[in-house]
Amino acid sequence: RATSNHKVKETVALELSYVNSNLQLLKEELEELNSSVDVYQNDSESISVPMIPLGLKETKELDLLVPLKDFISEHYGEESVLFEKEIKEFMELRQAMRTPSRNEAGLELLMEYYNQLYFLDSRFFPPTKTLGVFFHWYDSLTGVPSHQRALAFEKGSVLFNLGALHTQIGARQDRASLPGLNQAIDAFQKAAGAFNYLKENFSNAPSLDMSAASLTMLVRLMVAQVQECVFEKMTLLCAQNDFLSRLQLAQEAARVEDVYSLVHQTMSQPHVKDYVPFSWTTMVQVKSEHFKALSHYFAAIALCDCPAPSDAELPEQEKAFLQFHVTMPEGPSLRVLLQDPEERRKLGKAHLKKAIMKHEEAMRIHGLCKILRKMDILQEVLSFAHKRSLSKYSEIDHEEDFFETGEAPDIHPKTHQKPEIKSPNFSQVKVTDLFHRLGPLSVFSAKNKWYPARRVHLMRGENGFGFTLRGDSPVLIAGVIPGGCAAEAGLKEGDYIISVNGKDCKWSKHAEVVQLLKSTGKEGVDIGVITLQGSECPKAVDRKAAVMSSGPGMLKSDKENSRKSLMNSKSASTLLVWSKKSKRSKKSTYGGVPFTAVGDNEAMY
């Protein structure tokens, strides 16, 4: 639009097309790197179908020293230099969290940082203003950067990495052994739980990997991988080659095919199709066809390799076979079918024919993807299963067979171990508030505001100091006797005692403060107090304190977070906010000490 010269326009168009083609090549290379299926597989020599792991989201370094020091000075009125050690410790934890090891220690590190973010949020992120810090994270699959001021984006990204790390741990297990299979099942279930928790508790993520559609797809993919491990577990446990065990394996394989078909449908949806790597979509489709083939293969083996049932075994086999097919096969009655070897062979042959067709379809789809073609192990698994079905077919095929092989009905999917979506257990990693010295969260938080601290000199009168104290950490002045020493010195109902004779009392118990007051002589006592703004009524203060002491694994109130997030971005549509499903824990185990009930710990001094 900047020129009318056609020659210039043609030159620019040519340059742009060159740049675009380069970008496309880079995008394909990046996709190949980020979606690599074989990176985190186990090194075992046994052959098992590869699983799909996720790469971790990357993040930029973050310098919080100046913003946090400024906030400590302005909001808490403390000497910020005294908190440099805590700030640096937090930044070191964040730095370590960027490259977690692929084991239990790595998971604990991510969980520790996630829990520490609860305290950071409560201490430094007020509902009315931002810290002015941007959190930068890169998309797990495309590498596209996103940034937000909302701490919720940081929390969500850490939670995503928790799920991704579980997928890598699951993919690395040696699934040829029972312990390895159980660990893989556990890891993929926990990955599904992390992604599901993220989907239910965060919304409007700025990056595609954390969108509701992508997370739904990831949860379903993890569930499918669990189901695949369950099938492998069944093949290990089914040592006996009896009829019922083979039917179970066929139904288990049909269940795996069922869940992978659902994943493929989810990956084909408009918002996900262009985003999910082609190698993933192809792998899922290959697995769907492969397990459908296996279900028909095991059905054929049950019919052809197992002897006809005796009269005693017949009722049990009849019952199992009634629920085996989606529609009953055409031909003779069930009793005749199960007891006549020739009828069994006919139906077995029909199942094998379908198995071979599905094996060939799996191999055809596999051949369409350049990345999967490079994976020798997958090629080996598909080829072995195909040859096994062909060999069985030629074994039971007779030259004198003049009947046309019928269409085998599909097998009814059924599993003996339903996948469980395991939500993250945040309380398993206990953390202590790094900024503990600022005081109890019930009062000393970013949400609360208080008037500047006052130093009051108090003399003991004939009737004592003339006030009522209640609660712990910090102790509250619940009542002031009119005309008493406390009233004359300027103490008010609702004041919190933060120091006695220069000794910090923010975390002191009721009895400790009382002891300090009682040990004063005739010269009197210096008391440091603060008053919360808008909370002069002690009952309101109590309620507020109790609410503020919820644990770090919980989400904060919707109102506060939506209000905070609106401050953190120009457009509400691009926000990452907590959802309305938030719950509050009734009791904190993380340092915010709620007040005891009114009257329990109240006394006159």
Side-chain angles (χ1 to χ4, degrees), residues 25-90:
L25 281 170
L26 275 171
K27 184 174 177 278
E28 284 170 18
E29 282 177 29
L30 189 67
E31 182 183 283
E32 195 167 327
L33 283 170
N34 283 349
S35 62
S36 180
V37 171
D38 56 348
V39 171
Y40 307 111
Q41 305 301 329
N42 71 75
D43 304 322
S44 163
E45 289 182 12
S46 63
I47 297 174
S48 50
V49 185
M51 293 292 185
I52 298 177
L54 263 87
L56 300 183
K57 284 173 78 71
E58 305 259 334
T59 180
K60 279 188 183 178
E61 273 190 50
L62 187 64
D63 191 353
L64 287 166
L65 190 63
V66 175
L68 294 189
K69 276 176 75 176
D70 288 350
F71 194 84
I72 288 168
S73 301
E74 290 166 22
H75 187 79
Y76 291 96
E78 298 276 1
E79 197 68 49
S80 61
V81 181
L82 301 174
F83 288 88
E84 278 186 6
K85 182 175 167 283
E86 283 93 336
I87 297 170
K88 282 175 181 167
E89 200 177 325
F90 179 83

Side-chain angles (χ1 to χ4, degrees), residues 287-322:
K287 285 192 176 190
S288 180
E289 297 294 340
H290 173 67
F291 281 99
K292 184 151 196 166
L294 288 184
S295 71
H296 285 286
Y297 169 77
F298 282 112
I301 292 294
L303 289 160
C304 301
D305 285 8
C306 299
S310 64
D311 289 341
E313 293 168 333
L314 190 61
E316 193 184 3
Q317 290 198 10
E318 264 187 309
K319 188 184 173 187
F321 212 69
L322 263 172

Side-chain angles (χ1 to χ4, degrees), residues 10 46 53 150 175 190 202 214 245 325 398 435 441 448 541 585:
E10 280 175 22
S46 63
R175 304 200 315 277
K190 283 177 176 170
F202 292 78
S214 293
S245 296
H325 290 104
H398 296 168
F435 299 94
L441 266 176
N448 289 337
V541 174
S585 63

